[in-house]
Amino acid sequence: MTETKQIDYLLFTRIKRGDDLIQVGSFKATCDDLAKIYAEHIYDEEDWVEMYVVPKESLICLRSPEPLFKKEGVN
Amino acid sequence: MTEQNYSSLINLAETIADNKYILGDRLVEIGVSGPTLEATLSAIAMAQQELGHSRLIYRWANDLKGANGSRVEIKDQTGKAFARNVEISNWIELIAGLYAVNVAVDLVMRAIIEGRNTEINHPFSKMLKEQNDHLVYSKVWCKQLLNDQGSIPTRFKISLEKVMIEVVDWLKTVESDSFLISENIINQNENLVAKCKEVVNELLNVGAVSNA
């Protein structure tokens, strides 16, 4: 399997004008160009009025949930 | 204009359509077991588009022959597909074939679109956006294969070199075709071979990054 770095992308879409912008999926790609191609060709179930892909690492976290379980190997 | 007059244009159209037909088939057969889920799902979607393009171009070729294009049933390619594409049997060969064909076909289509002949009613303008998507997809995957481990980069270069032999031979016949030039279907000195080699060489030189 290739060693090229795989970036996590999130996909947001809006079905019709006035609808909420919602996350409909996520996938991995090596660059923005490939992410756009994947999004257009995989998520073609609707004629979306808007579609955005964003690298997951671009999300700015303000609050995240506490872990439910101890991590393995952590004392 | 008779079929005899248009024979080189019909040949060109059927070569493009045959290669798209074969690639559509290979994108399903080989793409269905691609290396990642995303690549597989995209390959299947692109297969539909390639087959759609080939249908449109076959219809156009039949119109040029004077037959009713919409009534002709397409059962198989006409025999003008590149042999390397017909023999595609794995992901590396699929990506090499998809990239080489899309680079060449894109150059030819744009040359015809820019040509001054307005009578031939080609269907190429409708498929440029989708074709560019296929080109981007295959180019990014070419770069991944060039930067992969083990024997993959070498195997990919060999596959690309082999299909490029047929691609370059075809582009030579297109850019030097006297009928296509005299009828302003393509401009003289279009230099399709040089442009194609420049694009592919840039991929091979820039796409392969030395392993740190």
Side-chain angles (χ1 to χ4, degrees), chain B residues 139-170:
Chain B
K139 184 178 178 182
V140 175
W141 265 102
C142 287
K143 289 181 183 175
Q144 289 188 68
L145 294 174
L146 283 168
N147 289 296
D148 211 313
Q149 293 181 314
S151 64
I152 291 174
T154 306
R155 285 170 57 197
F156 170 75
K157 283 180 191 172
I158 292 171
S159 290
L160 186 60
E161 279 164 17
K162 285 183 177 175
V163 71
M164 280 300 292
I165 293 171
E166 291 181 87
V167 165
V168 166
D169 282 347
W170 176 61

Side-chain angles (χ1 to χ4, degrees), chain B residues 35-99:
Chain B
T36 67
L37 180 61
E38 295 88 348
T40 293
L41 293 172
S42 298
I44 303 301
M46 286 180 189
Q48 297 286 337
Q49 291 170 342
E50 289 287 359
L51 291 171
H53 295 174
S54 71
R55 269 196 292 274
L56 275 176
I57 299 171
Y58 280 132
R59 197 175 297 171
W60 177 56
N62 282 312
D63 286 342
L64 291 172
K65 290 177 188 174
N68 185 336
S70 59
R71 287 198 179 169
V72 179
E73 198 182 322
I74 299 147
K75 292 182 182 172
D76 203 351
Q77 57 134 339
T78 66
K80 299 180 185 71
F82 302 141
R84 291 296 302 180
N85 283 343
V86 176
E87 293 161 8
I88 286 172
S89 61
N90 58 60
W91 182 258
I92 292 173
E93 290 170 357
L94 175 67
I95 294 298
L98 187 65
Y99 179 70

Side-chain angles (χ1 to χ4, degrees), chain B residues 132-201:
Chain B
N132 191 58
D133 286 350
H134 302 176
L135 193 52
V136 170
Y137 173 92
S138 55
K139 184 178 178 182
V140 175
W141 265 102
C142 287
K143 289 181 183 175
Q144 289 188 68
L145 294 174
L146 283 168
N147 289 296
D148 211 313
Q149 293 181 314
S151 64
I152 291 174
T154 306
R155 285 170 57 197
F156 170 75
K157 283 180 191 172
I158 292 171
S159 290
L160 186 60
E161 279 164 17
K162 285 183 177 175
V163 71
M164 280 300 292
I165 293 171
E166 291 181 87
V167 165
V168 166
D169 282 347
W170 176 61
L171 288 177
K172 276 181 188 167
T173 62
V174 172
E175 71 181 8
S176 59
D177 190 286
S178 54
F179 174 77
L180 296 179
I181 294 168
S182 65
E183 292 295 316
N184 297 318
I185 294 171
I186 62 170
N187 297 323
Q188 202 168 18
N189 302 323
E190 197 58 57
N191 295 325
L192 296 171
V193 171
K195 287 176 187 173
C196 184
K197 284 184 177 178
E198 188 184 338
V199 170
V200 174
N201 286 339

Side-chain angles (χ1 to χ4, degrees), chain A residues 2 28 30 37-38 40-41, chain B residues 38 42 49 129 141 148:
Chain A
T2 181
K28 292 182 190 289
T30 54
I37 303 289
Y38 282 165
E40 281 201 24
H41 287 80
Chain B
E38 295 88 348
S42 298
Q49 291 170 342
K129 198 261 172 199
W141 265 102
D148 211 313

